[in-house]
């Protein structure tokens, strides 16, 4: 292939030589890159005989392309052009992506270049373009442009197109070399920055750093470690530790560890060293580790732990003092508990004969009735104080004995109210008790739980002004039975709340000590409740706003392999063949009469007057049959029946609908009732019904 008298190879030979020279260079500075592209545009303009030749490069985000060099042959001048946005000329840049060259013989008509007309072609009188994309490592990075200026079209010969592509390849090689040079320069700058950073850290580190060569001589040491040896860094470099240390024994240990690291290539153990000064000795942790960096073979780190060791020694001393103080306090507490126990027993000894003597005096009919009554009251009061002291001693020493059994909370509350009634009556308080007769069974010691109730009521009575109101209520919450006592009394001050259930803690006393007591009642309550696996808490809006004490006890859960036998005191004994029957009716008189009739027939009966109570009772009572009024409040009988069957272990329960309406039979059958009875119900019919229910399989209502 020739151009006039010269071949393309002859034309490009200077360019090849230029690039070969650039390749042999270890780096391409920016000035050299500019010169290379300037030479390239000159040579390509001459080789192709064009008025303008330029090299362009994409920016980092490829949103625009920037001119690196523009050569104009007429003036032999090099310059640059304004950047071009790639979004403004999509067809042109798409052609660069897909073609080896864009040979636009008539640039203003070619669909790849005509979009450049108004902003680029016409202003520069460009009529034809031969552009070749520059590719580098599979990326389009730029373009070499050859532009014909003048009138008319120019037909680009195939060899010219091939030459343009070769020139673009040269440009790619120049850009690649430039990028590699930029990367090397960036790496060198980063390495220099890291070195400067390491130098700064090395110099300013608040601990010792040093490096050694293969002969164990210092190659580098920071000022901190040099000062420890009473030297400067310059005095230490090139010398062994034994030559600069004030402690030859410590230096010998260091040199031994350096030798071990050099031999094994593994870090040394961390050792603790002391400078051995008589006053204000310093303690250090020292470690050695292998390093590969020129002549440096071993590194060393020294951290001072003098303050930490002093703190540890001080902490150990404080811990020992605390342990001794705790042992003394525990011994004093045990002595106090033992004292109360002995005191209680010693006081009880004279009380017994005194009470006996008073009883005999009453029988003898002496005239000192008033004096005797005073003595009896005071002896009873003293006896209660002694009992409280003994109970506190048992609780604190963990010797409280419980005789547990399944019992309804209503029975416990009744016994407790009986114990506290004299004080409540004497102070004229109105007592409201709202505790269901059944369905709140617990596993506990009846006497101790009655004591809890009595203490709670006594506490409320003492701290409520005369003529106040005390409310005791109970309910089921999940797996707990909750008992609360609310009063309209003096309330609880916020600062007293955290210590309310501790022994000897009481609110502010009046001068007349009308509240009395030693402050043991609530401590005993907490001890008994905790021993039953429960908890006790207090609520109050503050002084003068009343208070509420809340006790939580685990609800009684009968064993999985045995039915529950939890009943209120006074129910008739279950005869042989009797069943557990639940009666649910909001007409209390009717419910009681049905229950009485069933009990006389030997059945065990529980009653409930609404749906929620019936479900709560059923969870512990586990009835085998239930008589359910369909017209219950809150939750109707159909819903009660559905929920009863859904309870665990009650899937086979026999359900009997009782109602005053004859027309409800079909609906009760659909709801799953086994029988449907219309009020009134006579005892014989009731007994026949129960016998019939358990004498056949469940087949639906009849």
């Amino acid at each position: 292939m020739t151009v006039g008298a010269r071949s393309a190879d002859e034309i490009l030979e200077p360019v090849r030589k230029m690039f070969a020279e650039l390749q042999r260079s270890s780096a391409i500075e920016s000035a050299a890159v500019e010169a290379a592209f300037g030479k390239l545009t000159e040579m390509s303009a001459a080789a192709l005989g064009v008025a303008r030749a330029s090299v362009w490069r994409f920016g980092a985000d490829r949103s625009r392309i920037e001119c690196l060099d523009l050569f104009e042959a007429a003036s032999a001048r090099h310059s640059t052009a304004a950047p071009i946005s790639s979004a403004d000329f999509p067809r042109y840049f798409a052609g660069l992506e897909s073609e080896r060259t864009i040979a636009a013989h008539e640039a203003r008509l070619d669909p790849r270049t005509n979009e450049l007309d108004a902003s680029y072609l016409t202003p520069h009188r460009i009529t034809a373009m031969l552009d070749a994309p520059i590719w580098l490592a599979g990326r389009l990075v730029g373009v070499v442009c050859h532009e014909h200026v003048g009138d008319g079209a120019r037909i680009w010969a195939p060899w010219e197109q091939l030459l343009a592509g070769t020139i673009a390849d040269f440009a790619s090689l120049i850009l690649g070399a430039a990028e590699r040079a930029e990367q090397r320069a960036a790496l060198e700058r980063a390495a220099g920055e890291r070195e400067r950073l390491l130098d700064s850290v090395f110099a300013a580190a608040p601990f010792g750093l040093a490096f050694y060569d293969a002969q164990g001589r210092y190659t580098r040491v920071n000022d901190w470690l040099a000062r420890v040896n009473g030297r400067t860094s310059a005095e230490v470099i090139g010398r062994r530790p034994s030559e600069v240390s004030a402690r030859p024994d410590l230096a010998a240990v260091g040199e031994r560890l350096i030798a071990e690291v050099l031999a094994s290539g593994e870090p040394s153990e961390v050792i603790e060293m002391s400078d051995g000064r008589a006053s204000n000795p310093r303690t250090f942790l020292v470690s050695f580790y292998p390093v590969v960096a020129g002549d440096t073979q071993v590194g060393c780190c020294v951290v001072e732990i003098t303050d930490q060791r002093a703190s540890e020694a001080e902490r150990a001393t404080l811990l020992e003092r605390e342990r001794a103080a705790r042992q003394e306090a525990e011994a004093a507490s045990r002595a106090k508990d033992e004292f109360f126990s002995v005191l209680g027993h010693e006081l009880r000894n004279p009380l017994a004969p005194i009470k006996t003597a008073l009883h005999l005096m009453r029988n003898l009919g002496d005239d000192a009735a008033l004096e005797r009554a005073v003595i009896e009251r005071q002896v009873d009061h003293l006896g209660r104080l002694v009992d409280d002291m003994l109970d506190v001693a048992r609780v604190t020493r963990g010797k409280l004995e419980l005789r547990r059994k399944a019992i309804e909370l209503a029975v416990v509350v009744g016994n407790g109210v009986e114990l506290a009634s004299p004080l409540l009556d004497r102070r004229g308080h109105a007592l409201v008790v709202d505790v269901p007769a059944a369905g709140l069974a617990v596993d506990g010691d009846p006497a101790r739980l009655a004591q809890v109730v009595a203490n709670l009521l006594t506490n409320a009575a003492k701290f409520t002004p005369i003529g106040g109101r005390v409310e005791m209520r109970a309910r089921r919450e999940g797996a707990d039975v909750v008992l609360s006592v609310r009063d309209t009394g003096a309330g609880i001050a916020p600062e007293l709340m955290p210590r309310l259930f501790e022994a000897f803690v009481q609110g502010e006393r009046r001068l007349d000590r009308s509240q009395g007591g030693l402050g043991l009642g609530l401590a005993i309550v907490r001890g008994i409740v905790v021993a039953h696996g429960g908890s006790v808490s207090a609520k109050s809006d503050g002084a003068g706003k009343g208070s509420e004490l809340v006790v939580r006890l685990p609800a009684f859960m009968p064993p999985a392999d045995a039915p529950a036998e939890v009943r209120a005191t006074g129910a008739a004994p279950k005869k042989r063949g009797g069943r557990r029957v639940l009666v649910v009716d909001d007409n209390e008189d009717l419910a009681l009469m049905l229950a009485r009739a069933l009990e006389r027939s030997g059945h065990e009966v529980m009653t409930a007057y609404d749906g929620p109570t019936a479900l709560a009772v059923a969870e512990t009572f586990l009835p085998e049959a239930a008589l359910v009024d369909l017209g219950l409040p809150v939750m109707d009988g159909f819903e009660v029946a559905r929920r009863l069957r859904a309870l665990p272990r009650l899937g086979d329960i026999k359900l009997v609908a009782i109602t005053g309406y004859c027309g409800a039979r079909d609906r009760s059958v659909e709801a799953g009732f086994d029988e449907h009875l219309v009020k009134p119900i006579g005892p014989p019919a009731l007994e026949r019904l129960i016998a019939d229910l358990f004498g056949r399989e469940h087949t639906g209502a009849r």
Side-chain angles (χ1 to χ4, degrees):
M1 179 184 306
T2 60
V3 180
R6 294 191 302 162
S7 68
D9 288 340
E10 290 175 336
I11 294 173
L12 291 177
E13 183 60 26
V15 178
R16 292 194 183 99
K17 290 181 179 179
M18 174 191 65
F19 183 73
E21 180 180 349
L22 289 173
Q23 274 193 315
R24 286 193 296 272
S25 175
S26 59
I28 298 181
E29 301 294 338
S30 60
V33 173
E34 292 174 4
F37 281 127
K39 191 69 173 176
L40 186 67
T41 54
E42 287 182 20
M43 297 297 294
S44 62
L48 292 171
V50 296
R52 292 160 55 97
S54 58
V55 179
W56 299 71
R57 184 179 187 179
F58 279 106
D61 60 358
R62 294 179 58 84
S63 63
R64 66 178 190 169
I65 193 166
E66 300 172 349
C67 182
L68 301 179
D69 185 80
L70 169 64
F71 176 70
E72 297 177 275
S75 62
R77 183 171 63 90
H78 290 273
S79 64
T80 59
I84 296 176
S85 171
S86 57
D88 294 339
F89 310 105
R91 292 195 303 277
Y92 174 74
F93 286 101
L96 292 178
E97 291 275 4
S98 61
E99 301 183 34
R100 171 66 172 167
T101 59
I102 294 179
H105 309 296
E106 294 185 75
R108 296 174 185 171
L109 300 178
D110 193 301
R112 297 168 297 179
T113 57
N114 61 5
E115 60 187 1
L116 298 168
D117 187 8
S119 61
Y120 188 74
L121 301 180
T122 297
H124 298 293
R125 300 177 56 246
I126 298 170
T127 58
M129 298 177 64
L130 178 59
D131 294 356
I134 303 173
W135 293 86
L136 179 61
R139 297 176 290 121
L140 179 63
V141 296
V143 60
V144 178
C145 299
H146 306 94
E147 297 158 353
H148 176 73
V149 176
D151 297 328
R154 173 170 174 171
I155 305 302
W156 302 102
W159 72 265
E160 291 177 315
Q161 296 180 40
L162 178 62
L163 181 59
T166 303
I167 292 171
D169 291 341
F170 285 153
S172 174
L173 294 173
I174 295 172
L175 285 177
E179 282 193 3
R180 288 191 294 275
E182 290 173 359
Q183 291 170 358
R184 284 194 298 272
L187 290 174
E188 290 172 0
R189 287 193 300 272
E193 291 175 0
R194 287 196 299 271
E195 186 67 22
R196 287 189 294 274
L197 177 61
L198 290 174
D199 287 344
S200 300
V201 172
F202 195 85
F207 47 84
L209 292 170
F211 297 102
Y212 307 87
D213 61 18
Q215 286 71 44
R217 295 174 300 210
Y218 286 102
T219 60
R220 192 171 185 181
V221 62
N222 68 347
D223 292 338
W224 190 94
L225 186 55
R227 286 195 300 270
V228 169
N229 290 314
R231 305 276 187 166
T232 65
S233 298
E235 293 174 332
V236 170
I237 301 301
R239 304 173 71 181
R240 299 177 185 275
S242 58
E243 297 172 348
V244 297
S245 176
R247 289 285 305 276
D249 55 336
L250 298 182
V253 173
E255 291 182 354
R256 175 178 61 79
L257 293 174
I258 292 172
E260 290 178 357
V261 172
L262 287 169
S264 66
E266 299 291 334
S268 73
E269 59 180 327
V270 178
I271 62 172
E272 185 171 324
M273 292 183 174
S274 175
D275 61 6
R277 290 186 296 182
S279 61
N280 301 321
R282 301 174 69 182
T283 305
F284 307 91
L285 290 179
V286 182
S287 62
F288 296 86
Y289 48 91
V291 175
V292 179
D295 293 336
T296 299
Q297 301 290 316
V298 178
C300 174
C301 181
V302 180
V303 179
E304 184 170 5
I305 58 170
T306 303
D307 292 341
Q308 291 93 317
R309 289 292 181 262
S311 297
E312 289 171 3
E314 182 179 1
R315 185 164 56 251
T317 300
L318 292 175
L319 287 174
E320 178 59 27
R321 291 176 181 172
E322 188 273 337
R323 186 187 64 81
R326 186 172 62 251
Q327 289 180 340
E328 291 178 4
E330 290 173 352
S333 179
R334 286 193 299 271
K336 179 194 68 177
D337 294 340
E338 186 66 26
F339 166 75
F340 282 130
S341 179
V342 173
L343 177 62
H345 285 290
E346 290 300 320
L347 288 174
R348 187 180 286 272
N349 288 335
L351 282 175
I354 291 174
K355 291 201 71 172
T356 302
L358 287 169
H359 180 70
L360 294 174
M361 290 171 62
R362 185 188 306 113
N363 292 339
L364 291 175
D366 63 284
D367 295 331
L370 177 61
E371 292 80 0
R372 187 177 64 251
V374 171
I375 295 173
E376 286 179 345
R377 283 197 301 274
Q378 295 306 313
V379 168
D380 288 340
H381 179 63
L382 181 58
R384 286 192 296 272
L385 294 179
V386 170
D387 289 340
D388 284 350
M389 292 170 61
L390 290 173
D391 284 339
V392 166
R394 294 187 187 101
V395 168
T396 56
R397 297 166 67 187
K399 294 185 177 181
L400 187 67
E401 295 183 3
L402 299 178
R403 295 183 175 88
R404 304 174 76 139
K405 70 174 185 178
I407 187 170
E408 284 291 343
L409 187 65
V411 177
V412 171
V413 169
N415 295 337
V417 169
E418 183 178 352
L419 293 172
S421 290
L423 179 59
L424 291 164
D425 294 341
R426 190 163 61 249
R427 296 184 63 83
H429 295 318
L431 175 63
V432 177
V433 178
D434 181 11
V435 178
L440 298 181
V442 296
D443 180 23
D445 184 321
R448 288 298 184 184
L449 292 180
Q451 185 180 2
V452 167
V453 173
N455 283 10
L456 293 176
L457 292 174
T458 299
N459 181 79
K462 288 196 300 182
F463 291 95
T464 299
I466 292 175
R469 180 182 176 88
V470 179
E471 300 176 357
M472 174 168 279
R473 304 183 187 278
R475 62 190 182 276
R476 178 74 178 267
E477 287 187 5
D480 293 338
V481 171
V482 181
L483 177 69
S484 65
V485 176
R486 180 188 295 271
D487 62 56
T488 58
I492 304 171
E495 62 272 13
L496 186 63
M497 192 71 74
R499 302 174 51 243
L500 185 64
F501 295 97
E502 296 178 9
F504 310 111
V505 173
Q506 288 184 317
E508 183 178 355
R509 291 178 177 269
R510 295 172 51 183
L511 291 177
D512 61 4
R513 289 186 52 83
S514 60
Q515 289 105 347
L518 298 174
L520 302 177
L522 294 185
I524 294 171
V525 166
R526 182 178 66 175
I528 294 174
V529 171
V530 170
H532 281 80
S535 64
V536 60
S537 60
K539 304 175 186 177
S540 177
D541 293 331
K545 297 183 179 181
S547 61
E548 181 181 13
L549 302 183
V550 180
V551 170
R552 289 181 174 271
L553 293 169
F556 173 68
M557 301 299 291
D561 57 350
E565 295 288 345
V566 182
R567 305 167 58 243
T569 302
K574 187 174 75 170
K575 295 180 182 178
R576 189 167 183 173
R579 301 291 181 173
R580 291 187 306 278
V581 182
L582 175 63
V583 177
V584 188
D585 199 309
D586 59 329
N587 185 326
E588 296 185 19
D589 291 337
L590 176 59
L592 291 175
M593 290 302 98
L594 289 175
R596 180 65 60 84
L598 289 167
E599 286 174 351
R600 287 178 177 174
S601 297
H603 301 292
E604 184 177 354
V605 186
M606 283 289 188
T607 58
Y609 308 128
D610 57 55
T613 303
L615 295 175
V617 171
E619 286 185 349
T620 55
F621 181 53
L622 298 180
E624 298 170 86
L627 279 63
V628 183
D629 179 20
L630 296 181
L632 292 171
V634 182
M635 181 189 301
D636 65 28
F638 298 106
E639 180 65 14
V640 172
R642 186 185 66 80
R643 295 197 184 188
L644 283 173
R645 284 206 187 277
L647 288 176
R649 298 164 55 200
L650 288 186
D652 295 330
I653 188 173
K654 308 297 183 182
L655 296 176
V656 179
I658 53 177
T659 179
Y661 301 95
C662 298
R665 176 179 294 274
D666 292 341
R667 188 180 174 192
S668 66
V669 171
E670 294 173 0
F673 281 94
D674 296 272
E675 288 289 353
H676 181 98
L677 294 181
V678 179
K679 303 173 184 178
I681 305 168
L686 189 60
E687 178 55 31
R688 286 195 302 273
L689 170 67
I690 297 297
D692 187 46
L693 280 174
F694 291 97
R696 59 179 172 85
E697 293 294 326
H698 171 61
T699 59
R702 301 190 300 178

